[in-house]
Amino acid sequence: MAEEKGVALDRAQVKKAVQALQAFLKTKSTSDSLFLDDTQQISLLFTLWKIPKVAQTIRIPLPHGQRSDTDEVCLFTRDEPKMTAEQTQRFYKKLLEERGVKNISEIIPYKVLKTEYKPYEAKRRLLGNFDMFLSDDRVRRLLPSHLGKHFYERKKEPLSVNLQSKHLARDIERVIQGTSLKVNNKGCCCMARVAHSGMTADEVTENIEAAVQTVVAKLRMKGPVMKIIHIKSQTSVALPIYSSDLSHLDAQGSAEKSPQTPKKEGKAKKKKTEDVKQTAEGEEKKVEEDDEIPQLVPITTPSKKPKLEKPSKKKQLEKAPKPAAAKKKKSPSKLNKKTKKTDSKVKRKVPKVK
């Protein structure tokens, strides 16, 4: 499947990169490690040609287990009806023992998670105590609100398991020893854990080949997918094990230059004719509007003060001031009063004759 989509790994090159990485990790572990069984993760770094349109999580089964026996695994279960928290723990421990599951180190019912692990410090302690988390698929959707964002930032969110399955031991073993790749739609790089430093070179190479095949087959993308694939550990430099050619880019360019199919040509012609009609109609409308402008809108003259019209003779006569003689005549009573006053004054001035 990998070769069909253009990803052909060179096994010899992959093995050389794995041996070089293991040699580096051995020198690093002897100088810096405090524990004898300290193992480091080996991961694959995928670089895609395009950013995916939709986020996706890919489950990858591996031929060789990529987790050591010392890893601690925690299982979240649902609350059984008419049972206390201790009774549900005993019930699921007995169920796992009967089915032959030995990888689970602790079982936490949903009720205990809500009550005992509600504080922030308790959640951080729970996150640090275990290397992996599993959950019953019946309560998987209820866990994010009670776990918090740190589980998802550290990529330790619980993986769902069907506890009612007939092949429970096989399913849990596949989930624990397998891996998962999270492809998001925010970038073109993604990483998946594939092996650890305690494995042999052949086991690591087989895991790498299986992971690349499943990822290329399950990615929901058309055309060439992988651009570069690197292998790295937590403290090492990324070593390239695959680099794609640029031949597919030339093929895409030639396909774009190639003549169109008759259906596409017909569609293109229709679009062109429609565009020409729309432009012609728009021009006609513009011409009609230009013709109608002088009829609808009068030509405006420069703004000047309007000349005053000469007043007619009638208006002049009406507005002309009246002469003094035409004024209102004083009433005779007032004139008589004034004449009397003047006569009295004249009489006072004349001296009396003895």
Side-chain angles (χ1 to χ4, degrees):
M1 292 293 290
E3 293 179 0
E4 290 177 5
K5 289 196 175 183
V7 179
L9 291 176
D10 186 3
R11 188 181 177 85
Q13 184 67 26
V14 173
K15 194 171 182 179
K16 284 181 183 179
V18 171
Q19 289 173 350
L21 184 62
Q22 286 178 339
F24 170 77
L25 292 175
K26 282 180 182 178
T27 57
K28 195 79 176 173
S29 62
T30 53
S31 59
D32 297 338
S33 67
L34 299 175
F35 303 101
L36 295 174
D37 59 346
D38 187 15
T39 58
Q40 289 198 28
Q41 300 175 4
I42 296 174
S43 304
L44 279 178
L45 178 62
F46 298 96
T47 305
L48 309 178
W49 276 108
K50 298 177 182 178
I51 297 174
K53 294 181 180 179
V54 182
Q56 186 182 357
T57 302
I58 300 172
R59 290 278 185 94
I60 305 171
L62 298 174
H64 304 282
Q66 51 95 18
R67 292 185 183 274
S68 61
D69 297 332
T70 58
D71 285 358
E72 299 288 332
V73 181
C74 178
L75 174 65
F76 298 112
T77 63
R78 75 161 194 168
D79 298 326
E80 289 295 326
K82 298 179 181 180
M83 285 189 186
T84 61
E86 295 178 356
Q87 288 175 347
T88 53
Q89 283 180 345
R90 291 172 191 168
F91 172 76
Y92 281 107
K93 278 183 181 179
K94 188 177 179 181
L95 177 66
L96 295 176
E97 287 176 0
E98 289 175 355
R99 299 293 180 86
V101 179
K102 299 178 181 179
N103 299 325
I104 306 299
S105 55
E106 188 169 349
I107 295 171
I108 299 176
Y110 179 64
K111 189 175 182 179
V112 175
L113 178 66
K114 287 194 296 183
T115 54
E116 295 185 8
Y117 294 96
K118 192 174 182 180
Y120 175 76
E121 295 177 357
K123 291 178 184 177
R124 293 297 298 269
R125 202 182 311 116
L126 177 66
L127 180 63
N129 289 340
F130 297 96
D131 299 302
M132 187 178 184
F133 295 91
L134 304 177
S135 70
D136 189 352
D137 57 357
R138 292 170 289 184
V139 295
R140 173 68 181 82
R141 62 185 180 81
L142 303 174
L143 297 179
S145 59
H146 298 287
L147 292 176
K149 64 180 182 179
H150 298 285
F151 279 77
Y152 296 88
E153 288 177 355
R154 297 271 298 272
K155 295 182 180 180
K156 283 189 177 183
E157 65 273 14
L159 302 174
S160 61
V161 177
N162 184 12
L163 296 179
Q164 296 175 337
S165 174
K166 295 180 180 179
H167 307 285
L168 184 59
R170 185 190 66 184
D171 295 345
I172 290 177
E173 186 70 18
R174 282 182 180 178
V175 173
I176 292 174
Q177 296 302 337
T179 187
S180 61
L181 176 70
K182 290 192 172 181
V183 183
N184 57 14
N185 54 358
K186 297 179 182 177
C188 58
C189 294
C190 47
M191 187 181 290
R193 178 179 171 178
V194 169
H196 59 84
S197 58
M199 298 171 66
T200 62
D202 293 329
E203 290 175 349
V204 177
T205 52
E206 288 176 3
N207 282 3
I208 289 169
E209 288 177 346
V212 171
Q213 287 178 2
T214 53
V215 168
V216 172
K218 292 183 179 181
L219 267 176
R220 298 170 188 166
M221 295 176 67
K222 294 181 180 180
V225 177
M226 290 297 168
K227 186 177 182 181
I228 305 172
I229 302 174
H230 292 86
I231 183 174
K232 69 183 296 293
S233 70
Q234 295 173 346
T235 57
S236 70
V237 181
L239 304 176
I241 59 173
Y242 171 78
S243 181
S244 65
D245 300 326
L246 300 177
S247 58
H248 68 279
L249 296 176
D250 298 334
Q252 286 180 358
S254 61
E256 289 176 358
K257 292 178 182 178
S258 63
Q260 295 180 346
T261 58
K263 290 183 179 179
K264 290 183 179 178
E265 287 180 356
K267 290 181 180 179
K269 286 180 181 178
K270 285 181 180 179
K271 287 183 180 179
K272 285 181 181 179
T273 53
E274 289 177 359
D275 295 338
V276 170
K277 287 181 180 179
Q278 289 178 358
T279 53
E281 288 176 359
E283 289 177 358
E284 288 177 359
K285 286 180 181 179
K286 286 181 181 179
V287 170
E288 289 176 358
E289 289 175 358
D290 295 336
D291 293 339
E292 290 174 359
I293 284 169
Q295 296 177 3
L296 297 173
V297 183
I299 298 168
T300 56
T301 55
S303 59
K304 291 182 180 180
K305 292 182 179 180
K307 292 181 179 181
L308 297 172
E309 295 179 356
K310 292 182 179 181
S312 58
K313 292 181 178 180
K314 291 181 179 180
K315 289 182 179 179
Q316 284 180 356
L317 293 171
E318 290 176 357
K319 292 181 180 179
K322 292 180 180 180
K327 286 183 180 179
K328 290 182 180 180
K329 293 181 179 181
K330 293 182 180 179
S331 59
S333 60
K334 290 183 179 179
L335 291 171
N336 292 330
K337 286 180 181 179
K338 285 184 178 180
T339 52
K340 286 179 181 180
K341 286 180 181 179
T342 51
D343 294 339
S344 61
K345 287 179 181 178
V346 171
K347 285 179 181 180
R348 286 176 185 172
K349 288 181 181 178
V350 176
K352 292 180 181 181
V353 178
K354 292 180 181 181

